[in-house]
Amino acid sequence: MVETRSARKAARPNGRDAEVANPPKPAAKKKAPRKASKADELPAEISPYDMTAAQLALHCYFLPMCLLLPCPVLCAVLAFATNSDAVSAPTLGGLYAYAVDHGVGGLLGDSFAFIGVGTTEAWTFLAVFNTLALLIYWWPGETKCGPLTATGHLPEYVDNGVAHCALFSGLYAGGAYLGWYDFGVLFDVFGPTVGALNAFGLVFCVFLYFKGLHSPCTKDSGTSGGGFVFDYYWGMELYPRICGVDVKKFVNCRFSMTFWQLAGACYAYRSYTIHGKLDPGLFLAAVSQYVYLVKFFVWEIGYMRSIDIIVDRAGFYETWGCIVWVPTVYTLHSRICVTSPSQLSWPAALAIFGVGIAGVGLNYWADNQRMTFREKKGDCLVWGRKPVYIEAKYVTVDKATGVLQEHDSLLLASGWWGQARHLQYSFELTAAWSWGLLANPAVNGPLPLFYAVFLTILLIHRAIRDEEKCLKKYGQYYEQYMDIVKYKIIPGVY
């Protein structure tokens, strides 16, 4: 989708495709500017104004509490299961045996005692890690923009993700080579690191709540009207910045994605030092994930235009999730293999790796195809042909005056994006399931598949949310797009 402020002449396909690319548009209705209501100012999915009391209790209290309470507990248990010598094996069987011997209360108590609120070593590690990321954050690069918000804010970002990826990886490896720390330190201090991250994340989300309440950076902020619990869970600001640092970009990309990228390599190294040989499954999973995250940093500006950034506010769901959930869950399958090797042969591991790396490559191809289309405003080729697209209109509201302004956007409906509306999720899930399989569930049980199962649920839900957002934003233009591109995620299936 390409944001523009006025209609323009875009390259259009010839012949039959031209009819698809330019469907009949509804007659323009001239309306006098009107004041926007609170419901207009808020995304539909978080607006409580049209909810009954029962719906309000369910969506703004009960469901958020179902994540606010269990998720920190689950992260503590997973860290304990994979990194404590007290658990016989980093598997569900190992956890079950521990719970039988010590009781569920004992398991939970020992898990939180294990992670605590961090140790001096863990806090020092995190301080150095994030200071380095912060220094690279200011590396020069081209300034690019995210989508225009409903209140007319145009977020700007410096496109230096590739520089961050290369510099951080090189400096981390260089520090280990010089003997400043062991290359496997991410595994060695993982338990107390989760404790430190959890403590910081919970408090930081309180800070973001009060910042959004009293000192927001943009007009895309304020209470949702669903009460404190929902505001803490969902967040108060869409684009918070602290001392010029974009909170979402730093937390989501420069911390969580970087931690995930390095974790696989560190875990493979620690497994080698423990067992004296490379584990094919763990090693190839580390390579695949590293390549996937190189792709992520190449595409970082595309991520800054995704639903994570343009819809989800900076609250527990988004911010705590990236600070704690990503390091704990996204690295789980690799962490299990450190003390419990996959036992896969090289041919079997390479076969799974090949499928996964194909998913990574296709995911990049699809993301890059749409990003190029956006940046060139439709003036490009898609699979060797002029793109098929819908020229849609949407409105934003000036929060100061309440006046609505009309804008244009292009919806790509050819290439990969003509096969399914969220086809990139299929490729991403292919990679995710390959990483779980490389940890060999036949040996380590179903726990290595936790991330893949979680991501499947998340992406299906995200596709539904994204389509609700697009229908609200584009209306019948998006319905026309859905008529052209019939399937949601898997062509011919779903």
Side-chain angles (χ1 to χ4, degrees), residues 285-298:
V287 172
S288 182
Q289 288 169 108
Y290 191 90
V291 171
Y292 171 81
L293 287 156
V294 168
K295 183 274 303 180
F296 173 87
F297 285 112
V298 170

Side-chain angles (χ1 to χ4, degrees), residues 143-264:
T143 298
K144 295 186 178 180
C145 298
L148 195 68
T149 72
T151 63
H153 172 66
L154 189 67
E156 294 184 346
Y157 309 98
V158 176
D159 187 8
N160 57 8
V162 174
H164 165 86
C165 178
L167 288 170
F168 201 104
S169 295
L171 290 171
Y172 181 87
Y177 178 78
L178 293 173
W180 295 347
Y181 45 81
D182 189 272
F183 191 80
V185 66
L186 267 72
F187 181 82
D188 299 338
V189 300
F190 184 80
T193 295
V194 170
L197 291 173
N198 187 49
F200 173 80
L202 294 173
V203 173
F204 186 56
C205 289
V206 173
F207 167 79
L208 290 175
Y209 169 83
F210 284 105
K211 180 188 179 302
L213 191 64
H214 298 292
S215 184
C217 294
T218 74
K219 296 175 182 178
D220 306 283
S221 59
T223 178
S224 66
F228 170 76
V229 169
F230 187 77
D231 284 340
Y232 175 80
Y233 161 80
W234 186 250
M236 298 289 284
E237 287 189 84
L238 188 60
Y239 290 107
R241 286 178 179 255
I242 300 174
C243 298
V245 176
D246 185 279
V247 171
K248 284 184 175 179
K249 180 179 178 180
F250 188 83
V251 170
N252 296 26
C253 307
R254 303 310 168 86
F255 173 70
S256 70
M257 294 296 106
T258 306
F259 189 101
W260 182 16
Q261 182 176 43
L262 294 177

